[in-house]
mmCIF file of all heavy atoms in Angstrom:
data_model
loop_
_atom_site.group_PDB
_atom_site.id
_atom_site.type_symbol
_atom_site.label_atom_id
_atom_site.label_comp_id
_atom_site.label_asym_id
_atom_site.label_seq_id
_atom_site.Cartn_x
_atom_site.Cartn_y
_atom_site.Cartn_z
ATOM 1 N N THR E 1 46.170 -13.153 8.111
ATOM 2 C CA THR E 1 45.965 -11.719 8.293
ATOM 3 C C THR E 1 44.601 -11.453 8.917
ATOM 4 O O THR E 1 44.464 -10.611 9.818
ATOM 5 C CB THR E 1 46.073 -10.992 6.936
ATOM 6 O OG1 THR E 1 47.358 -11.252 6.379
ATOM 7 C CG2 THR E 1 45.879 -9.502 7.090
ATOM 8 N N LYS E 2 43.595 -12.191 8.476
ATOM 9 C CA LYS E 2 42.242 -12.013 9.007
ATOM 10 C C LYS E 2 42.192 -12.347 10.507
ATOM 11 O O LYS E 2 41.559 -11.646 11.286
ATOM 12 C CB LYS E 2 41.258 -12.882 8.238
ATOM 13 C CG LYS E 2 39.813 -12.629 8.594
ATOM 14 C CD LYS E 2 38.873 -13.407 7.687
ATOM 15 C CE LYS E 2 37.442 -13.072 8.013
ATOM 16 N NZ LYS E 2 36.508 -13.725 7.090
ATOM 17 N N GLU E 3 42.868 -13.414 10.900
ATOM 18 C CA GLU E 3 42.899 -13.796 12.314
ATOM 19 C C GLU E 3 43.622 -12.740 13.150
ATOM 20 O O GLU E 3 43.182 -12.395 14.247
ATOM 21 C CB GLU E 3 43.583 -15.156 12.478
ATOM 22 C CG GLU E 3 42.765 -16.299 11.941
ATOM 23 C CD GLU E 3 43.539 -17.606 11.861
ATOM 24 O OE1 GLU E 3 44.764 -17.574 11.608
ATOM 25 O OE2 GLU E 3 42.909 -18.658 12.035
ATOM 26 N N LEU E 4 44.715 -12.212 12.636
ATOM 27 C CA LEU E 4 45.448 -11.169 13.349
ATOM 28 C C LEU E 4 44.611 -9.899 13.490
ATOM 29 O O LEU E 4 44.632 -9.252 14.541
ATOM 30 C CB LEU E 4 46.764 -10.861 12.637
ATOM 31 C CG LEU E 4 47.843 -11.932 12.746
ATOM 32 C CD1 LEU E 4 49.025 -11.588 11.854
ATOM 33 C CD2 LEU E 4 48.294 -12.108 14.183
ATOM 34 N N LEU E 5 43.856 -9.566 12.449
ATOM 35 C CA LEU E 5 42.972 -8.398 12.525
ATOM 36 C C LEU E 5 41.876 -8.612 13.559
ATOM 37 O O LEU E 5 41.509 -7.683 14.289
ATOM 38 C CB LEU E 5 42.367 -8.098 11.151
ATOM 39 C CG LEU E 5 43.322 -7.501 10.129
ATOM 40 C CD1 LEU E 5 42.650 -7.424 8.749
ATOM 41 C CD2 LEU E 5 43.821 -6.138 10.565
ATOM 42 N N TYR E 6 41.354 -9.833 13.642
ATOM 43 C CA TYR E 6 40.343 -10.139 14.647
ATOM 44 C C TYR E 6 40.914 -9.964 16.055
ATOM 45 O O TYR E 6 40.288 -9.360 16.922
ATOM 46 C CB TYR E 6 39.815 -11.560 14.474
ATOM 47 C CG TYR E 6 38.918 -11.966 15.616
ATOM 48 C CD1 TYR E 6 37.608 -11.504 15.685
ATOM 49 C CD2 TYR E 6 39.395 -12.762 16.655
ATOM 50 C CE1 TYR E 6 36.790 -11.835 16.746
ATOM 51 C CE2 TYR E 6 38.581 -13.098 17.721
ATOM 52 C CZ TYR E 6 37.283 -12.629 17.765
ATOM 53 O OH TYR E 6 36.483 -12.958 18.830
ATOM 54 N N ILE E 7 42.107 -10.470 16.281
ATOM 55 C CA ILE E 7 42.729 -10.364 17.602
ATOM 56 C C ILE E 7 43.022 -8.901 17.931
ATOM 57 O O ILE E 7 42.787 -8.450 19.058
ATOM 58 C CB ILE E 7 44.006 -11.230 17.685
ATOM 59 C CG1 ILE E 7 43.616 -12.705 17.633
ATOM 60 C CG2 ILE E 7 44.790 -10.929 18.959
ATOM 61 C CD1 ILE E 7 44.778 -13.656 17.509
ATOM 62 N N GLU E 8 43.480 -8.145 16.944
ATOM 63 C CA GLU E 8 43.732 -6.725 17.160
ATOM 64 C C GLU E 8 42.446 -5.996 17.540
ATOM 65 O O GLU E 8 42.432 -5.174 18.464
ATOM 66 C CB GLU E 8 44.318 -6.107 15.888
ATOM 67 C CG GLU E 8 44.647 -4.639 16.003
ATOM 68 C CD GLU E 8 45.205 -4.093 14.699
ATOM 69 O OE1 GLU E 8 46.159 -4.678 14.178
ATOM 70 O OE2 GLU E 8 44.671 -3.081 14.226
ATOM 71 N N ASP E 9 41.362 -6.313 16.857
ATOM 72 C CA ASP E 9 40.061 -5.716 17.159
ATOM 73 C C ASP E 9 39.597 -6.107 18.566
ATOM 74 O O ASP E 9 39.126 -5.274 19.333
ATOM 75 C CB ASP E 9 39.048 -6.169 16.112
ATOM 76 C CG ASP E 9 37.766 -5.377 16.149
ATOM 77 O OD1 ASP E 9 37.820 -4.150 16.355
ATOM 78 O OD2 ASP E 9 36.693 -5.988 15.950
ATOM 79 N N ALA E 10 39.755 -7.374 18.893
ATOM 80 C CA ALA E 10 39.357 -7.860 20.218
ATOM 81 C C ALA E 10 40.184 -7.195 21.317
ATOM 82 O O ALA E 10 39.651 -6.838 22.379
ATOM 83 C CB ALA E 10 39.499 -9.380 20.280
ATOM 84 N N LEU E 11 41.483 -7.016 21.075
ATOM 85 C CA LEU E 11 42.335 -6.321 22.049
ATOM 86 C C LEU E 11 41.832 -4.899 22.289
ATOM 87 O O LEU E 11 41.766 -4.446 23.440
ATOM 88 C CB LEU E 11 43.786 -6.273 21.550
ATOM 89 C CG LEU E 11 44.623 -7.522 21.747
ATOM 90 C CD1 LEU E 11 45.927 -7.397 20.958
ATOM 91 C CD2 LEU E 11 44.905 -7.771 23.205
ATOM 92 N N GLY E 12 41.479 -4.223 21.225
ATOM 93 C CA GLY E 12 40.965 -2.861 21.349
ATOM 94 C C GLY E 12 39.680 -2.805 22.156
ATOM 95 O O GLY E 12 39.506 -1.933 23.006
ATOM 96 N N HIS E 13 38.782 -3.758 21.898
ATOM 97 C CA HIS E 13 37.521 -3.793 22.642
ATOM 98 C C HIS E 13 37.760 -4.058 24.126
ATOM 99 O O HIS E 13 37.162 -3.413 24.989
ATOM 100 C CB HIS E 13 36.583 -4.863 22.069
ATOM 101 C CG HIS E 13 35.966 -4.463 20.781
ATOM 102 N ND1 HIS E 13 36.122 -5.214 19.645
ATOM 103 C CD2 HIS E 13 35.209 -3.403 20.429
ATOM 104 C CE1 HIS E 13 35.476 -4.623 18.651
ATOM 105 N NE2 HIS E 13 34.921 -3.521 19.102
ATOM 106 N N GLU E 14 38.601 -5.014 24.427
ATOM 107 C CA GLU E 14 38.869 -5.347 25.822
ATOM 108 C C GLU E 14 39.538 -4.193 26.558
ATOM 109 O O GLU E 14 39.211 -3.916 27.713
ATOM 110 C CB GLU E 14 39.705 -6.618 25.931
ATOM 111 C CG GLU E 14 38.967 -7.874 25.545
ATOM 112 C CD GLU E 14 37.679 -8.091 26.319
ATOM 113 O OE1 GLU E 14 37.616 -7.770 27.520
ATOM 114 O OE2 GLU E 14 36.713 -8.578 25.707
ATOM 115 N N LYS E 15 40.450 -3.506 25.888
ATOM 116 C CA LYS E 15 41.105 -2.358 26.513
ATOM 117 C C LYS E 15 40.079 -1.255 26.770
ATOM 118 O O LYS E 15 40.090 -0.612 27.825
ATOM 119 C CB LYS E 15 42.232 -1.847 25.603
ATOM 120 C CG LYS E 15 43.163 -0.908 26.283
ATOM 121 C CD LYS E 15 43.836 -1.606 27.440
ATOM 122 C CE LYS E 15 45.124 -0.969 27.818
ATOM 123 N NZ LYS E 15 45.672 -1.568 29.019
ATOM 124 N N TYR E 16 39.164 -1.037 25.817
ATOM 125 C CA TYR E 16 38.112 -0.038 25.975
ATOM 126 C C TYR E 16 37.211 -0.387 27.163
ATOM 127 O O TYR E 16 36.918 0.470 28.000
ATOM 128 C CB TYR E 16 37.283 0.048 24.694
ATOM 129 C CG TYR E 16 36.069 0.934 24.821
ATOM 130 C CD1 TYR E 16 36.191 2.319 24.736
ATOM 131 C CD2 TYR E 16 34.812 0.385 25.029
ATOM 132 C CE1 TYR E 16 35.084 3.138 24.862
ATOM 133 C CE2 TYR E 16 33.698 1.194 25.149
ATOM 134 C CZ TYR E 16 33.829 2.565 25.064
ATOM 135 O OH TYR E 16 32.730 3.371 25.192
ATOM 136 N N PHE E 17 36.776 -1.655 27.245
ATOM 137 C CA PHE E 17 35.906 -2.075 28.347
ATOM 138 C C PHE E 17 36.605 -1.896 29.691
ATOM 139 O O PHE E 17 36.009 -1.459 30.671
ATOM 140 C CB PHE E 17 35.458 -3.526 28.185
ATOM 141 C CG PHE E 17 34.538 -3.761 27.027
ATOM 142 C CD1 PHE E 17 34.652 -4.915 26.269
ATOM 143 C CD2 PHE E 17 33.554 -2.846 26.684
ATOM 144 C CE1 PHE E 17 33.806 -5.140 25.198
ATOM 145 C CE2 PHE E 17 32.704 -3.066 25.617
ATOM 146 C CZ PHE E 17 32.829 -4.223 24.864
ATOM 147 N N GLN E 18 37.874 -2.250 29.734
ATOM 148 C CA GLN E 18 38.635 -2.110 30.974
ATOM 149 C C GLN E 18 38.737 -0.637 31.380
ATOM 150 O O GLN E 18 38.525 -0.286 32.548
ATOM 151 C CB GLN E 18 40.026 -2.701 30.788
ATOM 152 C CG GLN E 18 40.879 -2.650 32.019
ATOM 153 C CD GLN E 18 42.282 -3.135 31.761
ATOM 154 O OE1 GLN E 18 42.636 -3.497 30.647
ATOM 155 N NE2 GLN E 18 43.100 -3.131 32.780
ATOM 156 N N THR E 19 39.021 0.226 30.420
ATOM 157 C CA THR E 19 39.128 1.658 30.689
ATOM 158 C C THR E 19 37.807 2.217 31.201
ATOM 159 O O THR E 19 37.767 2.978 32.178
ATOM 160 C CB THR E 19 39.562 2.412 29.418
ATOM 161 O OG1 THR E 19 40.834 1.916 29.006
ATOM 162 C CG2 THR E 19 39.658 3.912 29.663
ATOM 163 N N LYS E 20 36.703 1.844 30.556
ATOM 164 C CA LYS E 20 35.390 2.341 30.962
ATOM 165 C C LYS E 20 35.015 1.841 32.360
ATOM 166 O O LYS E 20 34.463 2.583 33.161
ATOM 167 C CB LYS E 20 34.312 1.932 29.953
ATOM 168 C CG LYS E 20 34.384 2.719 28.683
ATOM 169 C CD LYS E 20 34.209 4.195 28.987
ATOM 170 C CE LYS E 20 34.484 5.067 27.807
ATOM 171 N NZ LYS E 20 34.428 6.490 28.102
ATOM 172 N N CYS E 21 35.309 0.585 32.645
ATOM 173 C CA CYS E 21 35.036 0.050 33.986
ATOM 174 C C CYS E 21 35.801 0.849 35.038
ATOM 175 O O CYS E 21 35.252 1.199 36.083
ATOM 176 C CB CYS E 21 35.421 -1.423 34.073
ATOM 177 S SG CYS E 21 34.274 -2.561 33.290
ATOM 178 N N ASN E 22 37.065 1.138 34.769
ATOM 179 C CA ASN E 22 37.876 1.898 35.731
ATOM 180 C C ASN E 22 37.348 3.316 35.901
ATOM 181 O O ASN E 22 37.328 3.840 37.018
ATOM 182 C CB ASN E 22 39.340 1.910 35.301
ATOM 183 C CG ASN E 22 40.012 0.577 35.547
ATOM 184 O OD1 ASN E 22 39.688 -0.127 36.492
ATOM 185 N ND2 ASN E 22 40.939 0.220 34.687
ATOM 186 N N GLU E 23 36.897 3.942 34.808
ATOM 187 C CA GLU E 23 36.330 5.287 34.907
ATOM 188 C C GLU E 23 35.071 5.284 35.776
ATOM 189 O O GLU E 23 34.901 6.133 36.648
ATOM 190 C CB GLU E 23 35.990 5.825 33.520
ATOM 191 C CG GLU E 23 37.195 6.220 32.705
ATOM 192 C CD GLU E 23 36.822 6.644 31.284
ATOM 193 O OE1 GLU E 23 35.620 6.757 30.965
ATOM 194 O OE2 GLU E 23 37.749 6.850 30.488
ATOM 195 N N VAL E 24 34.191 4.331 35.518
ATOM 196 C CA VAL E 24 32.936 4.238 36.265
ATOM 197 C C VAL E 24 33.209 3.894 37.723
ATOM 198 O O VAL E 24 32.598 4.462 38.628
ATOM 199 C CB VAL E 24 31.991 3.202 35.613
ATOM 200 C CG1 VAL E 24 30.801 2.909 36.505
ATOM 201 C CG2 VAL E 24 31.526 3.695 34.254
ATOM 202 N N MET E 25 34.145 2.977 37.936
ATOM 203 C CA MET E 25 34.466 2.548 39.289
ATOM 204 C C MET E 25 34.885 3.734 40.166
ATOM 205 O O MET E 25 34.529 3.805 41.338
ATOM 206 C CB MET E 25 35.583 1.508 39.250
ATOM 207 C CG MET E 25 35.923 0.884 40.567
ATOM 208 S SD MET E 25 37.199 -0.381 40.419
ATOM 209 C CE MET E 25 38.555 0.538 39.733
ATOM 210 N N ASN E 26 35.595 4.678 39.587
ATOM 211 C CA ASN E 26 36.057 5.839 40.343
ATOM 212 C C ASN E 26 34.933 6.812 40.677
ATOM 213 O O ASN E 26 35.114 7.692 41.513
ATOM 214 C CB ASN E 26 37.163 6.559 39.578
ATOM 215 C CG ASN E 26 38.434 5.753 39.538
ATOM 216 O OD1 ASN E 26 38.749 5.021 40.464
ATOM 217 N ND2 ASN E 26 39.172 5.864 38.453
ATOM 218 N N GLN E 27 33.781 6.651 40.049
ATOM 219 C CA GLN E 27 32.655 7.551 40.284
ATOM 220 C C GLN E 27 31.585 6.947 41.190
ATOM 221 O O GLN E 27 30.688 7.651 41.641
ATOM 222 C CB GLN E 27 32.017 7.938 38.953
ATOM 223 C CG GLN E 27 32.959 8.684 38.035
ATOM 224 C CD GLN E 27 32.373 8.912 36.664
ATOM 225 O OE1 GLN E 27 31.226 8.584 36.399
ATOM 226 N NE2 GLN E 27 33.166 9.467 35.771
ATOM 227 N N ILE E 28 31.673 5.665 41.461
ATOM 228 C CA ILE E 28 30.646 4.964 42.228
ATOM 229 C C ILE E 28 30.901 5.121 43.723
ATOM 230 O O ILE E 28 32.027 4.957 44.195
ATOM 231 C CB ILE E 28 30.608 3.462 41.841
ATOM 232 C CG1 ILE E 28 30.184 3.310 40.385
ATOM 233 C CG2 ILE E 28 29.684 2.683 42.753
ATOM 234 C CD1 ILE E 28 30.259 1.886 39.874
ATOM 235 N N GLN E 29 29.827 5.407 44.453
ATOM 236 C CA GLN E 29 29.918 5.546 45.907
ATOM 237 C C GLN E 29 29.597 4.230 46.630
ATOM 238 O O GLN E 29 30.196 3.932 47.655
ATOM 239 C CB GLN E 29 28.950 6.634 46.389
ATOM 240 C CG GLN E 29 29.239 7.997 45.791
ATOM 241 C CD GLN E 29 30.608 8.525 46.181
ATOM 242 O OE1 GLN E 29 31.032 8.385 47.319
ATOM 243 N NE2 GLN E 29 31.297 9.127 45.226
ATOM 244 N N ASP E 30 28.650 3.470 46.094
ATOM 245 C CA ASP E 30 28.227 2.207 46.707
ATOM 246 C C ASP E 30 29.361 1.183 46.618
ATOM 247 O O ASP E 30 29.796 0.816 45.528
ATOM 248 C CB ASP E 30 26.971 1.686 45.997
ATOM 249 C CG ASP E 30 26.464 0.403 46.613
ATOM 250 O OD1 ASP E 30 25.660 0.478 47.558
ATOM 251 O OD2 ASP E 30 26.886 -0.681 46.128
ATOM 252 N N GLN E 31 29.839 0.715 47.757
ATOM 253 C CA GLN E 31 31.007 -0.170 47.794
ATOM 254 C C GLN E 31 30.749 -1.517 47.111
ATOM 255 O O GLN E 31 31.620 -2.046 46.428
ATOM 256 C CB GLN E 31 31.476 -0.393 49.236
ATOM 257 C CG GLN E 31 32.811 -1.099 49.330
ATOM 258 C CD GLN E 31 33.930 -0.366 48.592
ATOM 259 O OE1 GLN E 31 34.074 0.856 48.694
ATOM 260 N NE2 GLN E 31 34.722 -1.091 47.833
ATOM 261 N N GLU E 32 29.564 -2.069 47.296
ATOM 262 C CA GLU E 32 29.245 -3.367 46.682
ATOM 263 C C GLU E 32 29.248 -3.257 45.156
ATOM 264 O O GLU E 32 29.809 -4.111 44.461
ATOM 265 C CB GLU E 32 27.886 -3.856 47.179
ATOM 266 C CG GLU E 32 27.548 -5.261 46.726
ATOM 267 C CD GLU E 32 26.241 -5.765 47.333
ATOM 268 O OE1 GLU E 32 25.805 -5.253 48.381
ATOM 269 O OE2 GLU E 32 25.667 -6.676 46.736
ATOM 270 N N LEU E 33 28.638 -2.212 44.637
ATOM 271 C CA LEU E 33 28.607 -1.991 43.200
ATOM 272 C C LEU E 33 30.010 -1.699 42.668
ATOM 273 O O LEU E 33 30.413 -2.190 41.613
ATOM 274 C CB LEU E 33 27.654 -0.840 42.864
ATOM 275 C CG LEU E 33 27.439 -0.531 41.392
ATOM 276 C CD1 LEU E 33 26.947 -1.764 40.635
ATOM 277 C CD2 LEU E 33 26.447 0.613 41.247
ATOM 278 N N LYS E 34 30.762 -0.932 43.439
ATOM 279 C CA LYS E 34 32.141 -0.609 43.062
ATOM 280 C C LYS E 34 32.990 -1.882 42.956
ATOM 281 O O LYS E 34 33.774 -2.036 42.021
ATOM 282 C CB LYS E 34 32.736 0.349 44.092
ATOM 283 C CG LYS E 34 34.021 0.982 43.684
ATOM 284 C CD LYS E 34 34.416 2.047 44.703
ATOM 285 C CE LYS E 34 35.499 2.917 44.152
ATOM 286 N NZ LYS E 34 35.709 4.131 44.910
ATOM 287 N N THR E 35 32.795 -2.791 43.885
ATOM 288 C CA THR E 35 33.517 -4.066 43.865
ATOM 289 C C THR E 35 33.153 -4.884 42.635
ATOM 290 O O THR E 35 34.026 -5.484 41.990
ATOM 291 C CB THR E 35 33.226 -4.870 45.151
ATOM 292 O OG1 THR E 35 33.658 -4.104 46.277
ATOM 293 C CG2 THR E 35 33.943 -6.202 45.140
ATOM 294 N N SER E 36 31.879 -4.887 42.269
ATOM 295 C CA SER E 36 31.429 -5.619 41.078
ATOM 296 C C SER E 36 32.069 -5.062 39.810
ATOM 297 O O SER E 36 32.526 -5.812 38.954
ATOM 298 C CB SER E 36 29.911 -5.569 40.946
ATOM 299 O OG SER E 36 29.299 -6.278 41.984
ATOM 300 N N VAL E 37 32.102 -3.749 39.706
ATOM 301 C CA VAL E 37 32.703 -3.111 38.530
ATOM 302 C C VAL E 37 34.209 -3.367 38.506
ATOM 303 O O VAL E 37 34.797 -3.601 37.449
ATOM 304 C CB VAL E 37 32.378 -1.605 38.495
ATOM 305 C CG1 VAL E 37 33.114 -0.913 37.364
ATOM 306 C CG2 VAL E 37 30.879 -1.390 38.360
ATOM 307 N N GLU E 38 34.832 -3.368 39.678
ATOM 308 C CA GLU E 38 36.261 -3.662 39.759
ATOM 309 C C GLU E 38 36.542 -5.087 39.273
ATOM 310 O O GLU E 38 37.513 -5.332 38.558
ATOM 311 C CB GLU E 38 36.753 -3.488 41.194
ATOM 312 C CG GLU E 38 38.240 -3.726 41.360
ATOM 313 C CD GLU E 38 38.717 -3.505 42.784
ATOM 314 O OE1 GLU E 38 37.882 -3.563 43.721
ATOM 315 O OE2 GLU E 38 39.912 -3.279 42.953
ATOM 316 N N GLN E 39 35.678 -6.029 39.633
ATOM 317 C CA GLN E 39 35.826 -7.411 39.177
ATOM 318 C C GLN E 39 35.671 -7.511 37.661
ATOM 319 O O GLN E 39 36.384 -8.274 37.005
ATOM 320 C CB GLN E 39 34.822 -8.320 39.883
ATOM 321 C CG GLN E 39 35.135 -8.529 41.343
ATOM 322 C CD GLN E 39 34.023 -9.246 42.093
ATOM 323 O OE1 GLN E 39 32.912 -9.401 41.603
ATOM 324 N NE2 GLN E 39 34.327 -9.664 43.319
ATOM 325 N N MET E 40 34.742 -6.725 37.106
ATOM 326 C CA MET E 40 34.582 -6.700 35.647
ATOM 327 C C MET E 40 35.843 -6.163 34.977
ATOM 328 O O MET E 40 36.289 -6.705 33.958
ATOM 329 C CB MET E 40 33.381 -5.842 35.240
ATOM 330 C CG MET E 40 32.052 -6.514 35.434
ATOM 331 S SD MET E 40 30.699 -5.605 34.646
ATOM 332 C CE MET E 40 30.479 -4.269 35.807
ATOM 333 N N ALA E 41 36.426 -5.120 35.541
ATOM 334 C CA ALA E 41 37.656 -4.553 34.989
ATOM 335 C C ALA E 41 38.781 -5.580 35.021
ATOM 336 O O ALA E 41 39.535 -5.722 34.048
ATOM 337 C CB ALA E 41 38.060 -3.299 35.763
ATOM 338 N N GLN E 42 38.872 -6.325 36.114
ATOM 339 C CA GLN E 42 39.896 -7.363 36.225
ATOM 340 C C GLN E 42 39.672 -8.470 35.205
ATOM 341 O O GLN E 42 40.625 -8.988 34.608
ATOM 342 C CB GLN E 42 39.921 -7.932 37.640
ATOM 343 C CG GLN E 42 40.452 -6.961 38.666
ATOM 344 C CD GLN E 42 40.271 -7.466 40.098
ATOM 345 O OE1 GLN E 42 39.663 -8.495 40.354
ATOM 346 N NE2 GLN E 42 40.804 -6.702 41.046
ATOM 347 N N LYS E 43 38.414 -8.839 34.992
ATOM 348 C CA LYS E 43 38.098 -9.882 34.013
ATOM 349 C C LYS E 43 38.486 -9.437 32.609
ATOM 350 O O LYS E 43 39.063 -10.211 31.837
ATOM 351 C CB LYS E 43 36.605 -10.233 34.087
ATOM 352 C CG LYS E 43 36.220 -11.374 33.187
ATOM 353 C CD LYS E 43 36.912 -12.652 33.603
ATOM 354 C CE LYS E 43 36.452 -13.826 32.783
ATOM 355 N NZ LYS E 43 37.199 -15.039 33.095
ATOM 356 N N HIS E 44 38.198 -8.179 32.282
ATOM 357 C CA HIS E 44 38.572 -7.673 30.961
ATOM 358 C C HIS E 44 40.093 -7.612 30.817
ATOM 359 O O HIS E 44 40.616 -7.847 29.726
ATOM 360 C CB HIS E 44 37.929 -6.310 30.698
ATOM 361 C CG HIS E 44 36.461 -6.410 30.400
ATOM 362 N ND1 HIS E 44 35.971 -7.037 29.274
ATOM 363 C CD2 HIS E 44 35.378 -5.986 31.077
ATOM 364 C CE1 HIS E 44 34.652 -6.983 29.273
ATOM 365 N NE2 HIS E 44 34.268 -6.359 30.367
#
């Protein structure tokens, strides 16, 4: 149960990071920075 709770927590964190990266990516004008944030979103 403890391991499953850890994975559930980790899933939530990764989904949050991915969502935030996508939100920020849509606001960035600099293409190089936008590409970096997009890569972070893909990694998450």
Side-chain angles (χ1 to χ4, degrees):
T1 302
K2 188 173 183 176
E3 290 169 327
L4 288 173
L5 287 172
Y6 172 77
I7 292 172
E8 181 181 307
D9 193 39
L11 280 169
H13 285 122
E14 290 305 324
K15 194 61 157 174
Y16 173 79
F17 292 142
Q18 182 185 1
T19 300
K20 286 300 171 185
C21 284
N22 286 327
E23 287 175 7
V24 170
M25 186 178 59
N26 290 328
Q27 298 173 4
I28 295 174
Q29 300 298 319
D30 182 88
Q31 190 57 45
E32 187 175 338
L33 184 56
K34 192 172 194 166
T35 300
S36 293
V37 174
E38 182 178 21
Q39 290 171 347
M40 283 191 284
Q42 290 171 354
K43 185 64 175 175
H44 286 295

